[in-house]
Amino acid sequence: MIPAAFDYQVADSADAAIAALAEHGDDAKLLAGGHSLIPLMRFRLATPGVVVDIGRISDLSYINDGGDHVAIGAMTTHRALETSELLAVEAPLLRHVAGQVGDPQVRHRGTLGGSLAHGDPASDLPAALLAHGGSVVARSPGGEREIAATDFFTGFLETALGADEIITEIRIPKAAGVGWSYQKFNRRAQDWAIVGAAVMLGDDPKVALVNMGSAPMRHGGVEAGLAGGGGTDAAAVAGDDTDPPEDLNADVEYRKHLARVLVGRGIAEASG
Amino acid sequence: MTAVEDPIKTTAIGTSMKRREDPKLLAGESKYVDDIQVVGQLWMGMVRSPMAHARITSIDTSAAEVAEGVHSVLTGPQLQDMGLWIAPLPCAWPVTEDMVNPPHYPAAIDEVHHVGEIVAVVLADSRYGAVDAAEQVVVDYEPLDAVASVAAAQDGSVTAHSEHETNKAYHWPLVPDPDALEAAFANAVHTVKAEFVQQRLIPAAMEPRGVLAVPSPMGGDVTLYSATQVPHILKVMIAATTGIPESKIRVIAPAVGGGFGAKLNINPDEILAVTLANRLGRAVRWTESRSEAAFSTHQGRGQLQTIELAADADGKLQGVRVHVDADLGAYMMLLTPGVPLLGSFLYTGVYAVPAFGFTCDGYFTNLTPTDAYRGAGRPEASYAIERAMDILAAQVGIGPDEIRRRNYLAGGEYFENLEVPSTLVFDSGNYGPNLDRALELADYDGLRAEQARRRAAGESKQLGIGMVTYVEICGLAPSRALGGLSYGAGGWEHATVRLLPTGKAEVVSGSTPHGQGHETTWSQIVSDKLGIPPEDITVLHSDTAISPLGLDTYGSRSLAVGGVAIAAACDKVVEKAKQIAAHQMEASADDLEFAHGMFSVSGSPDQAMPIQAIAFGAFTAHDLPDGMEPNLQEQVTFDPTNFVFPFGTHVCTVEIDEDTGAVELLSYVAVDDCGNQVNPMIVEGQLHGGIVQGIAQALFEEACYDEDGNLTNPSLMDYLVPSAADVPSMVTDYTVTPSTSNPLGVKGAGEAGTISSAAAVMNAVVDALSPYGVVDMDMPATPQRVWRTINEAKGGQA
Ligand SMILES: Cc1cc2nc3c(=O)[nH]c(=O)nc-3n(C[C@H](O)[C@H](O)[C@H](O)COP(=O)(O)OP(=O)(O)OC[C@H]3O[C@@H](n4cnc5c(N)ncnc54)[C@H](O)[C@@H]3O)c2cc1C
């Protein structure tokens, strides 16, 4: 529970952070809210030589109306998301999911950018991004690019981000009036999901699953069923084409069962 | 002498005074061991075995020795050669004469016996430096097969200690009348045989353990600050283990953040800190990290139980037969072998049972040692009998309330000093009215109606209602009774009460709090007894230099033994003060009355003297009766003649989501009886915490091991300690049946909640699933386990 030795730097702007990443390469890690990185360092599962603190970059924390989308700064905390009036109207799923993360302490420290960059299949917010069909804006010395959520999560704790890239913004297409639901199943109130399901109906229904594979994932089979008017019956295939982990809380069979139950409940609630 | 017109109101006993400990705790001003800093201190970093069972073939400390800030690196054999100790770590409870007790040194010499056993110690000038250097110590192990469960221990093809031929450590029987027991089962109409698993639990106190040993600059003496429940016992045991004379050891337990039994041991780190500080002449310290705590502090429970009931046609118990196989872990810690025995007397619960028998086999495994954990043996016992009673009720075809009523001691009516077949004498009880009150508060009939409605409607969320009437044995303990159990110490408690020249009082108590609020409770007792305001009372404790005599806090003993000692010492102070008052008022002591701090002459209320004035007079000693010693200071060492037996009925309601297997606690009603209460708010707090700890065993917690003896959930991410958000608001109430074991009429409340709640929850879970023919389920009732049980009961389709 004691991290290995590391150097600590404070970046006062996104550019300074990018410069630090460019200088130290793989040996550097950005520190946002620290609520994923610091536990990993304490278990010595992560041993970065340099920690670049981006927690003081104030101009990366915002929730703005971007026309057809909501633009959210990477350093926006879960707490800011769950209390946003703009999100209440335009992206209520994301707002609700942010309120389901951990406990109030975690939500006051953890950031949207950090949660997405961490790429944990057990996290809630990646599923919300996927179900919203959002995107991530990343900046590097080479410039800025926008990465669709479906291209962003590439493997277990792996994303499309380059070693010298920093997330600056997250874009969520406006979804006012679209039926949605988030079903999170856990054993204690403040825990990660054993399985979670984010459902977004509308013209192009999207269903994202938590903890059902090595990366945050959308479920094409269920989405096809929904697009074909299957309603809650679409949930029957929610366990197919998944590769869930096995741990003390749940084995593969039980997780697949939970996926079917939760997706079914999600579709029912989103349709209601 | 003036009459006081408005005597101070001192009816402190029985009022929910705010805890005087809390302002400092809430403001973060209390000092825990880790808060105390000493110039020149060295941190210990422990090199721990990653293997459950292995031979150490070599240890290379060269890289660690030259790491920055490292003072020295000492391996087990080197520590042994330094002659730091004269005996292994102590076990105070040799339960049988032939009990096997392998030597347990602070660091392993050549063979390790559980993951986390200390192999070498780094001393460095910072905590981080010590931990970093410990990682650089290279240890070569020759792996040996591990014994990772009681079943493997029984199988015996592998032994946890290579030099042993069997894993069995002892066999302990308590069968008062074997023939009667045989006959009871031979003649029974109904018999029940059930097996229960008491999974291992990690105590996880809020404050991890820590030690700081500071040598005296004058040489020779050492002060140990330890996050311990037992500074007095620790002092004696350090002396016995190290050969350092008791007079040169001072143990201080500063603020201690919870213990639950896990801080009543004599741990390797404590012996290492004291002896190394003594040898090096520098302060030596260590604070366990949260995941280190899972290995470096003992665990609780770890029993396989078989309970058999024999009953007549009406479900009246004729006999109870119990066998326990106990998972002792790798070594005998202070109380390890005795924990199952503490429960042995309670397997007949609150019931009139003509015949009883209990046997226990203790087994070594290559797992972290087990020892006392809140309730220590009694939650296990209470669980077994209370689960089994539900099974019997179903077999007889009556409700769980009715089976209990039919079997209560004394027909559910008031009794006192009643002998039960396990040879104990219960102090007092009155179970029927207690059950009535619990059922009423829970709206039991309404719950059953709602349960029937949901069942009939085939709803996917089903109700389960569970009840428990528990009794527990605490107020540890009459010294003679402990002697009869081969325990290596007494059960008395010491108190000194002084009334100082300024009229304020000082109480010195041998009970050592670690969160319970002793200072508040003690000041309430003294306030009432001496008639002085609580704020004029200082309570001193937890430092062997200030309170040299004591036996500390465990086994729900503080009030029933330590509190009684304080009350008795107060009585002696008042008695002496009365002699002085009589002398100074020129009255006969027999004519004096004492109330609200005033001595007055019966019949002439104008003639009165406050006790504070007498205290001053005792100090100046200008005018004392002939031959009387100056000062008002009295001491009492109270050794109870019997235990105390709190009881209560808990009713728990769960809702089970059959689609997911999730168990939600809808309500929890607890009607407890701990005799007279000094501070009802503190009692309430003890019960809340205790109940949640039992709920935790029923639904959340389990130390999981793989077959190689590795703990697979050593962090609080995977070991699920519930929080307030996971339990319902409890409904609590009390009946009051004073104890006959002590003059205050008090019983204990610290462990009662844990002794009752796991069975209440599991009775509710099984009740919810009973329509599927489910009669039992292992703890914890995780969603996956519940879902699978439902599926299997429905015929196997997943
Ligand atoms: C007790 C506890 C409970 C929790 N419960 C939940 C839960 O229920 N559900 C859930 O989803 N999460 C949970 N979390 C995780 C929490 O949401 C984290 O805060 C979040 O996952 C990471 O955000 P952060 O700002 O803390 O990131 P950090 O920990 O600071 O960083 C995480 C990773 O992202 C990188 N990073 C951070 N910001 C950027 C950026 N702008 N650009 C590029 N890379 C970046 C870092 O280098 C690091 O690799 C919990 C955490 C704790 C401690």
Side-chain angles (χ1 to χ4, degrees):
Chain A
M1 292 295 264
I2 290 182
F6 59 89
D7 285 334
Y8 173 81
Q9 291 180 6
V10 175
D12 51 16
S13 68
D15 288 339
I18 293 163
L21 290 181
E23 186 189 339
H24 300 289
D26 268 356
D27 200 30
K29 269 279 174 200
L30 298 179
L31 176 75
H35 270 46
S36 290
L37 181 60
I38 289 178
L40 286 182
M41 289 172 64
R42 282 179 162 274
F43 285 121
R44 300 199 171 195
L45 296 172
T47 51
V50 185
V51 168
V52 181
D53 189 348
I54 56 173
R56 300 178 201 187
I57 307 176
S58 54
D59 60 1
L60 284 183
S61 182
Y62 55 82
I63 304 174
N64 291 336
D65 192 329
D68 62 347
H69 66 274
V70 182
I72 304 171
M75 292 300 297
T76 306
T77 62
H78 309 339
R79 175 69 186 166
L81 298 176
E82 75 172 308
T83 52
S84 159
E85 284 174 20
L86 182 60
L87 291 180
V89 178
E90 303 295 356
L93 170 64
L94 176 67
R95 183 182 196 262
H96 172 79
V97 171
Q100 302 301 303
V101 175
D103 54 36
Q105 266 177 310
V106 174
R107 298 199 288 274
H108 276 87
R109 294 292 307 177
T111 66
L112 180 56
S115 180
L116 299 179
H118 191 53
D120 186 343
S123 285
D124 301 298
L125 288 161
L129 181 79
L130 285 163
H132 269 292
S135 61
V136 168
V137 178
R139 199 192 297 168
S140 70
E144 209 166 73
R145 62 178 178 135
E146 185 173 346
I147 310 165
T150 37
D151 298 329
F152 186 74
F153 303 104
T154 54
F156 183 68
L157 303 187
E158 278 175 20
T159 67
L161 284 179
D164 58 355
E165 265 183 318
I166 169 171
I167 301 178
T168 52
E169 188 171 283
I170 294 90
R171 293 182 183 156
I172 306 290
K174 286 185 175 173
V178 179
W180 60 273
S181 174
Y182 186 60
Q183 300 288 326
K184 178 173 181 173
F185 186 79
N186 54 16
R187 285 179 61 192
R188 292 179 306 182
Q190 77 274 26
D191 276 330
W192 271 264
I194 293 174
V195 174
V199 175
M200 197 74 170
L201 297 178
D203 300 339
D204 179 16
K206 297 183 191 64
V207 173
L209 299 181
V210 178
N211 228 355
M212 288 300 291
S214 57
M217 61 178 287
R218 280 194 23 201
H219 199 293
V222 177
E223 291 175 358
L226 277 176
T232 51
D233 290 345
V237 299
D240 303 357
D241 303 319
T242 60
D243 183 18
E246 208 152 30
D247 56 31
L248 292 173
N249 289 320
D251 60 18
V252 168
E253 183 196 17
Y254 180 55
R255 274 207 164 83
K256 289 189 173 198
H257 168 78
L258 283 177
R260 290 189 289 270
V261 171
L262 298 176
V263 168
R265 288 180 180 179
I267 294 170
E269 186 182 79
S271 317
Chain B
M1 274 171 277
T2 49
V4 175
E5 306 230 313
D6 187 14
I8 302 155
K9 261 211 152 151
T10 50
T11 47
I13 289 184
T15 58
S16 288
M17 276 179 54
K18 292 254 160 62
R19 297 189 350 146
R20 57 166 65 185
E21 292 87 347
D22 286 346
K24 270 175 86 177
L25 286 168
L26 292 171
E29 288 165 5
S30 297
K31 289 267 179 279
Y32 296 87
V33 172
D34 198 60
D35 295 320
I36 301 165
Q37 300 297 321
V38 178
V39 176
Q41 64 194 10
L42 289 170
W43 280 89
M44 292 191 287
M46 309 300 193
V47 180
R48 293 184 183 277
S49 170
M51 309 227 169
H53 194 192
R55 203 161 288 125
I56 301 166
T57 51
S58 73
I59 304 181
D60 179 356
T61 59
S62 53
E65 273 165 41
V66 297
E68 203 187 314
V70 169
H71 174 279
S72 51
V73 185
L74 299 165
T75 65
Q78 287 170 331
L79 289 160
Q80 191 79 357
D81 289 345
M82 287 166 75
L84 296 175
W85 40 79
I86 57 169
L89 291 167
C91 170
W93 206 336
V95 294
T96 58
E97 275 174 19
D98 58 355
M99 182 183 90
V100 182
N101 182 14
H104 181 203
Y105 291 102
I109 310 298
D110 49 14
E111 189 173 302
V112 290
H113 299 105
H114 68 90
V115 171
E117 186 167 359
I118 296 170
V119 172
V121 179
V122 174
L123 289 159
D125 58 17
S126 75
R127 185 181 188 199
Y128 280 35
V131 172
D132 282 347
E135 284 221 328
Q136 295 185 46
V137 174
V138 182
V139 186
D140 280 333
Y141 296 95
E142 179 195 328
L144 300 170
D145 287 340
V147 178
S149 65
V150 170
Q154 285 172 316
D155 169 69
S157 53
V158 175
T159 53
H161 291 258
S162 301
E163 72 276 16
H164 291 173
E165 276 165 16
T166 157
N167 290 305
K168 198 189 271 197
Y170 67 82
H171 172 79
W172 192 85
L174 172 68
V175 191
D177 188 344
D179 294 340
L181 192 60
E182 282 296 312
F185 278 88
N187 299 329
V189 176
H190 295 285
T191 55
V192 167
K193 180 172 184 178
E195 292 179 4
F196 302 117
V197 182
Q198 298 288 335
Q199 75 270 33
R200 279 175 167 256
L201 301 176
I202 298 175
M206 194 82 87
E207 179 212 18
R209 288 194 313 104
V211 293
L212 166 62
V214 186
S216 157
M218 315 288 284
D221 295 10
V222 57
T223 299
L224 175 68
Y225 299 86
S226 181
T228 182
Q229 299 171 225
V230 291
H232 298 92
I233 294 173
L234 182 54
K235 177 178 154 170
V236 174
M237 291 301 178
I238 290 171
T241 308
T242 64
I244 302 172
E246 273 144 293
S247 61
K248 296 194 176 302
I249 304 164
R250 176 180 181 186
V251 178
I252 299 176
V256 177
F260 313 116
K263 290 180 184 163
L264 61 59
N265 236 307
I266 312 303
N267 294 284
D269 40 87
E270 291 169 316
I271 300 299
L272 288 168
V274 166
T275 53
L276 290 170
N278 215 29
R279 186 63 64 91
L280 303 174
R282 287 179 72 174
V284 173
R285 73 181 311 151
W286 169 80
T287 301
E288 71 184 358
S289 76
R290 185 56 75 180
S291 35
E292 198 176 19
F295 311 106
S296 57
T297 294
H298 73 246
Q299 299 182 350
R301 316 283 185 257
Q303 294 184 3
L304 303 180
Q305 306 165 299
T306 307
I307 183 168
E308 294 170 88
L309 309 183
D312 68 13
D314 298 330
K316 283 193 146 180
L317 290 171
Q318 303 303 312
V320 173
R321 185 158 55 199
V322 178
H323 179 72
V324 169
D325 291 311
D327 175 357
L328 306 169
Y331 295 106
M332 299 298 194
M333 299 289 284
L334 193 67
L335 309 178
T336 301
V339 170
L341 278 51
L342 271 178
S344 64
F345 302 97
L346 289 182
Y347 279 91
T348 53
V350 287
Y351 308 116
V353 183
F356 171 66
F358 171 92
T359 50
C360 176
D361 290 322
Y363 289 95
F364 291 112
T365 58
N366 290 116
L367 307 178
T368 294
T370 54
D371 203 317
Y373 175 56
R374 202 168 190 169
R378 290 103 86 210
E380 296 93 315
S382 177
Y383 185 87
I385 181 66
E386 287 302 297
R387 284 283 305 111
M389 286 304 275
D390 267 28
I391 297 172
L392 177 64
Q395 202 169 309
V396 177
I398 57 177
D401 51 339
E402 182 57 25
I403 194 82
R404 287 172 171 79
R405 277 189 210 285
R406 284 187 194 178
N407 283 289
Y408 281 151
L409 285 164
E413 292 180 7
Y414 177 79
F415 66 81
E416 56 186 50
N417 303 332
L418 184 69
E419 184 166 350
V420 302
S422 63
T423 68
L424 295 171
V425 176
F426 282 12
D427 56 351
S428 62
N430 195 4
Y431 305 140
N434 182 273
L435 174 78
D436 292 341
R437 181 71 184 131
L439 296 182
E440 177 193 330
L441 275 176
D443 183 20
Y444 186 66
D445 294 338
L447 287 172
R448 285 287 177 209
E450 170 63 9
Q451 179 182 52
R453 188 195 67 73
R454 290 191 190 196
R455 280 181 184 166
E459 290 185 11
S460 67
K461 293 196 172 175
Q462 289 291 335
L463 281 193
I465 305 147
M467 72 178 64
V468 154
T469 304
Y470 75 92
V471 61
E472 79 120 329
I473 172 173
C474 64
L476 307 183
S479 296
R480 281 191 183 173
L482 293 179
L485 287 169
S486 311
Y487 177 66
W492 46 263
E493 192 50 273
H494 182 82
T496 301
V497 174
R498 308 181 181 116
L499 206 49
L500 305 169
T502 55
K504 301 196 172 15
E506 220 166 58
V507 184
V508 185
S509 170
S511 301
T512 302
H514 42 285
Q516 295 88 347
H518 287 26
E519 292 184 16
T520 305
T521 306
W522 295 171
S523 62
Q524 286 181 250
I525 294 173
V526 175
S527 172
D528 262 17
K529 285 281 183 185
L530 300 186
I532 65 174
E535 55 272 23
D536 283 355
I537 298 159
T538 300
V539 181
L540 304 171
H541 54 80
S542 305
D543 179 342
T544 59
I546 293 173
S547 141
L549 281 175
L551 283 174
D552 307 314
T553 292
Y554 43 84
S556 303
R557 69 189 302 271
S558 293
L559 180 59
V561 189
V564 171
I566 290 169
C570 288
D571 288 342
K572 283 171 82 174
V573 167
V574 170
E575 192 44 47
K576 181 171 177 183
K578 189 185 243 182
Q579 302 299 327
I580 301 172
H583 172 74
Q584 298 191 352
M585 292 159 82
E586 295 175 355
S588 156
D590 294 343
D591 293 339
L592 287 193
E593 286 171 359
F594 180 65
H596 303 299
M598 297 297 291
F599 288 98
S600 58
V601 180
S602 330
S604 45
D606 291 353
Q607 255 195 305
M609 264 185 98
I611 194 167
Q612 288 93 339
I614 306 223
F616 189 68
F619 166 70
T620 62
H622 295 168
D623 184 18
L624 296 180
D626 288 346
M628 180 180 274
E629 285 182 19
N631 291 314
L632 270 182
Q633 160 166 315
E634 297 293 341
Q635 22 182 327
V636 166
T637 301
F638 176 66
D639 195 349
T641 52
N642 193 6
F643 299 90
V644 293
F645 297 87
F647 62 91
T649 304
H650 291 196
V651 180
C652 164
T653 314
V654 301
E655 183 178 83
I656 292 190
D657 180 339
E658 297 196 349
D659 293 334
T660 62
V663 178
E664 192 187 338
L665 284 169
L666 291 188
S667 66
Y668 199 98
V669 172
V671 179
D672 289 274
D673 193 321
C674 55
N676 293 330
Q677 300 187 8
V678 176
N679 186 317
M681 180 193 72
I682 287 181
V683 171
E684 178 101 357
Q686 287 293 323
L687 280 158
H688 277 225
I691 288 167
V692 175
Q693 254 164 325
I695 290 172
Q697 179 174 12
L699 297 181
F700 296 101
E701 296 183 17
E702 174 172 22
C704 298
Y705 284 90
D706 67 17
E707 47 190 47
D708 296 325
N710 296 301
L711 181 64
T712 55
N713 54 347
S715 91
L716 292 185
M717 257 174 74
D718 303 311
Y719 184 85
L720 303 188
V721 179
S723 75
D726 303 303
V727 294
S729 277
M730 285 165 223
V731 177
T732 55
D733 198 11
Y734 302 90
T735 55
V736 178
T737 310
S739 175
T740 57
S741 301
N742 61 68
L744 291 180
V746 296
K747 303 185 176 185
E751 296 163 292
T754 311
I755 288 167
S756 45
S757 59
V761 173
M762 290 308 291
N763 279 347
V765 169
V766 172
D767 180 56
L769 302 181
S770 60
Y772 295 115
V774 173
V775 289
D776 190 34
M777 187 189 306
D778 284 346
M779 297 184 285
T782 66
Q784 175 170 270
R785 184 172 270 160
V786 171
W787 173 74
R788 202 141 268 146
T789 303
I790 295 172
N791 274 332
E792 279 162 13
K794 278 181 174 171
Q797 76 274 32

